[in-house]
């Protein structure tokens, strides 16, 4: 991003953006509201693209590791309990992102965290994307090693490089890849279970009596249930990746209302229904293959796939399984890389006041993921995900608590305000709740409060975050949600005015009304990104009540 460009002496210099940052066909409004003019896909297309990203096989490995460690009864209960928590917290977040055209970071800003408070959650989300990219990439490298004899170290590099062309091109390319690969993935997903239903029907019953590989036993254990739920809850931040697609959902109307609701429910929290089924299914396939391949390989999704397909496909089982794994991992890792580029963009734009373009952060995210793969993070799967879930659930529950509780009680504004011009740097309601909840739960996770607290550390994080967010908002009387009133596009703006545009007085580009703020420093309308990148204004708009009185010149409004 270049701060200034040549301009007449009589006018202030206009900001011009670097070529990649200015190309919205690649940039996909990475740091701002997604305008209605850009949301050209139907509800079904957006939902299909979002659900295409959950093709990953980490669910198989996660489910298998939980059941192997804690037995079927405790493991299955843990998987289902985690799914219920993820589903319930995902509903309000998905609806907010789809309604307001905002990604997870922008929703977090306005849902109790503040402008700089959400930078920490950007890092949490970025870590989710590169941790799971590394996990999925490891699974893909294992498949290429088995199928082609490719050394896994080289496989890690191949899995990293292969996604770059798709992610570089943005939402349009992602939608095409997810649509084209979906039939292959669906067949590959269903076929192993179909084979086992005919060839080994007794294995289904035997699986329900499986006591794990570490002596947990087939009965229910509260300790095993707690630890298993913690591992499964590491996936709670997946709603952020769903939101990266849901923000392109078209406006809800009387004509598409039913389809819109179903699409948002399916593509938002609905992903975890398929995810939980995949975890249980992956555990079952690993159980069936355990005797033939051993515990280590049974936890690698490629080996159970081969063993399940062998009775019907014989020598073709290996290439068929490899094709399924590779397609699955490409589908998810283009999403991981894309979402990672968005989260890093949000983080660095606020810290450095510069934005070279979303695509450059693809390489940062992939570089970290490749390093984790080379360090063999797959071997530390359970501990790593268990630790991460303590932070992830504190964040997500705080956001959900604000959307469901605080807004309904009038403790926070009834809409999502994401622009720097109207936000405090930190809002203690959400940010404070997350920091306190995650700190206490991490101490519990490391055994400070005993074995039971260690096992249920994620429940501690969720409970504290759920209680503290509205409690802090009530104690502060909602003071830290808005630094000044939004007289431009806050509550009361007519729906017809949402698609009205104003020309930003800094970059001289027209943006829809929700992306515009009134700027006393510039004495005119400013877009949210130019506002974020301004390092010299001193936040004068938030100093004194008179700042809020600047009103945009309505003659500049036009309809799109």
């Amino acid at each position: 991003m270049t701060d200034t460009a040549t301009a007449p002496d009589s006018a202030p210099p206009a900001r011009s953006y670097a070529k990649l940052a200015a190309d919205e066909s690649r940039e996909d409004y990475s740091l701002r509201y997604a305008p209605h003019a850009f949301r050209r896909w139907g509800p079904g297309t957006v939902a299909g693209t979002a659900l295409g990203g959950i093709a990953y096989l980490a669910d198989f490995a996660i489910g298998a590791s939980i059941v192997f460690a804690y037995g079927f009864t405790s493991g299955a209960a843990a998987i289902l309990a985690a799914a219920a928590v993820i589903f319930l917290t995902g509903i309000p977040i998905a609806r907010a992102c789809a309604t307001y055209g905002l990604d997870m970071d922008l929703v977090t800003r306005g849902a109790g965290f503040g402008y700089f408070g959400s930078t920490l959650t950007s890092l949490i989300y970025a870590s989710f994307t590169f941790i799971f990219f590394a996990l999925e990439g490891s699974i893909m490298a294992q498949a290429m090693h088995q199928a082609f004899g490719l050394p896994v170290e080289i496989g890690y590099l191949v899995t990293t490089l292969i996604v770059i062309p798709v992610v570089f091109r943005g939402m349009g390319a992602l939608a095409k890849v997810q649509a084209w690969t979906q039939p292959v993935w669906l067949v590959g997903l269903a076929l192993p279970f179909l084979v086992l239903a005919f060839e080994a029907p007794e294995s289904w019953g035997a699986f329900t009596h499986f006591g794990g590989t570490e002596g947990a036993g087939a009965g229910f254990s509260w300790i095993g249930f707690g630890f298993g739920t913690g591992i499964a809850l590491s996936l709670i931040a997946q709603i952020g990746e769903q939101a990266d697609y849901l923000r392109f959902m078209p406006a809800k109307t009387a004509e598409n209302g039913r389809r819109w609701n179903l699409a948002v429910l399916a593509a938002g929290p609905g992903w975890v229904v398929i995810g939980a089924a995949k975890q249980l299914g992956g555990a079952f396939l690993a159980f069936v293959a355990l005797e033939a391949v051993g515990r280590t390989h049974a936890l690698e999704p490629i080996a159970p796939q081969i063993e399940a397909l062998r009775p019907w496909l014989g020598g073709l089982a290996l290439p068929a399984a490899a094709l399924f794994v590779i397609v699955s991992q490409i589908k998810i890792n283009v999403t991981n890389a894309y979402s990672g580029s968005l989260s890093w963009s949000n983080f660095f734009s606020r810290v450095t006041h510069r934005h070279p373009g979303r695509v450059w952060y693809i390489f940062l995210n992939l570089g970290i993921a490749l390093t984790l793969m080379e360090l063999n993070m797959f071997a530390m799967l359970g501990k790593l995900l268990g630790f991460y879930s303590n932070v992830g659930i504190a964040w997500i529950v705080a956001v959900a608590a604000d959307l469901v509780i605080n807004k309904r009680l009038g403790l926070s504004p009834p809409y999502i305000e994401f622009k720097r011009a109207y936000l405090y740097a930190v809002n203690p309601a959400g940010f404070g709740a997350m920091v306190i909840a995650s700190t206490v739960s991490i101490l519990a996770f490391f055994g400070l409060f005993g074995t039971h607290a260690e096992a249920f550390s994620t429940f501690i994080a969720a409970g504290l975050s759920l209680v503290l967010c509205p409690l802090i908002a009530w104690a502060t009387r909602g003071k830290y949600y808005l630094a000044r009133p939004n007289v431009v596009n806050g509550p009361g703006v007519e729906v017809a005015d949402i698609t009205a545009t104003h020309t930003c007085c800094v970059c001289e580009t027209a943006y829809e009304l929700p992306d515009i703020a009134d700027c006393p420093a510039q004495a005119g309308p400013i877009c949210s990104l130019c506002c974020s990148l301004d390092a010299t204004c001193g936040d004068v708009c938030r100093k004194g009540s008179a700042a809020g009185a600047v009103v945009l010149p309505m003659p500049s409004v036009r309809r799109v």
Side-chain angles (χ1 to χ4, degrees), residues 90-286:
I91 293 173
I93 294 173
R95 292 187 65 86
C97 293
T99 299
Y100 293 101
L102 305 176
D103 65 17
M104 191 67 201
D105 178 78
L106 300 186
V107 168
T108 299
R109 284 188 202 177
F113 282 73
Y115 182 72
F116 277 108
S118 65
T119 55
L120 178 58
T121 64
S122 290
L123 288 180
I124 295 171
Y125 183 32
S127 65
F128 174 85
T129 64
F130 62 66
I131 286 172
F132 277 89
F133 188 103
L135 177 56
E136 308 296 349
S138 297
I139 293 171
M140 185 172 170
Q142 293 161 4
M144 291 191 292
H145 175 68
Q146 288 236 31
F148 313 117
L150 189 70
V152 290
E153 293 78 11
I154 298 177
Y156 296 151
L157 180 61
V158 173
T159 63
T160 302
L161 296 177
I162 199 171
V163 304
I164 293 176
V166 177
V167 181
F168 194 86
R169 294 179 60 193
M171 176 65 177
L174 291 169
K176 291 178 182 177
V177 167
Q178 300 296 2
W180 293 344
T181 55
Q182 200 73 343
V184 174
W185 180 75
L186 289 172
V187 171
L189 179 68
L191 189 57
F193 299 100
L194 184 63
V195 173
L196 291 174
F198 282 94
E199 300 296 330
E202 71 285 350
S203 61
W204 297 86
F207 178 53
T208 62
H209 299 287
F210 180 50
T213 59
E214 300 176 18
F220 181 80
S221 163
W222 282 108
I223 297 294
F225 169 75
F227 279 121
T229 305
I231 296 172
L233 279 173
S234 64
L235 292 165
I236 195 166
Q238 177 64 33
I239 189 62
E241 294 196 345
Q242 304 307 111
D244 288 338
Y245 294 112
L246 286 170
R247 66 196 177 106
F248 298 123
M249 194 68 71
K252 183 179 179 181
T253 64
E255 291 75 20
N256 72 0
R258 185 175 181 180
R259 288 184 291 114
W260 192 94
N261 285 329
L262 289 174
V264 171
L265 187 66
W271 77 266
V272 79
V273 176
I274 302 172
K278 286 164 57 190
Q279 288 176 49
L280 292 171
F284 171 66
L285 293 179

Side-chain angles (χ1 to χ4, degrees), residues 152-518:
V152 290
E153 293 78 11
I154 298 177
Y156 296 151
L157 180 61
V158 173
T159 63
T160 302
L161 296 177
I162 199 171
V163 304
I164 293 176
V166 177
V167 181
F168 194 86
R169 294 179 60 193
M171 176 65 177
L174 291 169
K176 291 178 182 177
V177 167
Q178 300 296 2
W180 293 344
T181 55
Q182 200 73 343
V184 174
W185 180 75
L186 289 172
V187 171
L189 179 68
L191 189 57
F193 299 100
L194 184 63
V195 173
L196 291 174
F198 282 94
E199 300 296 330
E202 71 285 350
S203 61
W204 297 86
F207 178 53
T208 62
H209 299 287
F210 180 50
T213 59
E214 300 176 18
F220 181 80
S221 163
W222 282 108
I223 297 294
F225 169 75
F227 279 121
T229 305
I231 296 172
L233 279 173
S234 64
L235 292 165
I236 195 166
Q238 177 64 33
I239 189 62
E241 294 196 345
Q242 304 307 111
D244 288 338
Y245 294 112
L246 286 170
R247 66 196 177 106
F248 298 123
M249 194 68 71
K252 183 179 179 181
T253 64
E255 291 75 20
N256 72 0
R258 185 175 181 180
R259 288 184 291 114
W260 192 94
N261 285 329
L262 289 174
V264 171
L265 187 66
W271 77 266
V272 79
V273 176
I274 302 172
K278 286 164 57 190
Q279 288 176 49
L280 292 171
F284 171 66
L285 293 179
F287 163 75
V288 174
L290 180 60
E291 186 175 345
V293 303
R295 184 185 186 279
T296 299
H297 290 300
L299 293 174
E300 302 171 355
I302 180 66
Q305 288 280 326
I306 295 170
E307 292 302 313
L309 294 175
R310 201 183 301 279
W312 282 11
L313 301 185
L316 295 177
L318 173 57
L323 175 63
F324 170 66
V325 172
I326 291 171
V327 167
S328 298
Q329 302 317 89
I330 289 175
K331 285 170 72 67
I332 179 55
N333 268 354
V334 294
T335 297
N336 282 328
Y338 177 73
S339 294
S341 70
L342 297 178
S343 57
W344 284 120
S345 294
N346 274 295
F347 175 77
F348 281 109
S349 68
R350 276 171 287 174
V351 173
T352 67
H353 295 285
R354 297 185 65 83
H355 181 54
R358 172 191 67 84
V359 296
W360 293 109
Y361 294 110
I362 297 171
F363 301 102
L364 171 62
N365 210 52
L366 296 186
I368 298 172
L370 179 59
T371 302
L372 289 177
M373 283 188 275
E374 297 292 355
L375 293 174
N376 192 25
M377 67 148 287
F378 194 84
M380 303 178 290
L381 179 64
K383 274 293 182 184
L384 180 64
L385 297 183
F387 171 80
Y388 178 84
S389 65
N390 287 279
V391 182
I393 194 170
W395 163 38
I396 297 298
V397 170
V399 174
D402 180 82
L403 296 174
V404 174
I405 301 173
N406 295 5
K407 292 195 180 305
R408 294 191 179 186
L409 294 180
L411 298 173
S412 67
Y415 70 107
I416 306 293
E417 181 54 75
F418 66 95
K419 295 180 287 295
R420 173 191 179 187
Y422 303 106
L423 295 175
Y424 282 98
V426 175
N427 185 342
F431 183 79
M434 183 195 73
V435 170
I436 295 171
S438 59
T439 299
V440 173
S441 67
I442 288 172
L443 292 175
F445 176 78
F446 284 109
L448 187 64
F449 307 127
T451 303
H452 284 81
E454 180 183 355
F456 285 88
S457 62
T458 50
F459 288 88
I460 294 173
L464 283 175
S465 202
L466 181 65
V467 172
L468 287 175
C469 182
L471 185 62
I472 295 173
W474 172 79
T476 58
R477 299 182 180 179
K479 173 183 176 181
Y480 296 98
Y481 281 91
L482 291 177
R484 62 172 176 136
N486 184 342
V487 298
V488 178
N489 48 23
V493 174
E494 294 294 329
V495 174
D497 290 332
I498 291 177
T499 55
T501 63
H502 285 278
T503 298
C504 173
C505 64
V506 178
C507 66
E508 299 179 351
T509 303
Y511 294 100
E512 290 183 9
L513 192 58
D515 206 27
I516 289 288
D518 54 303

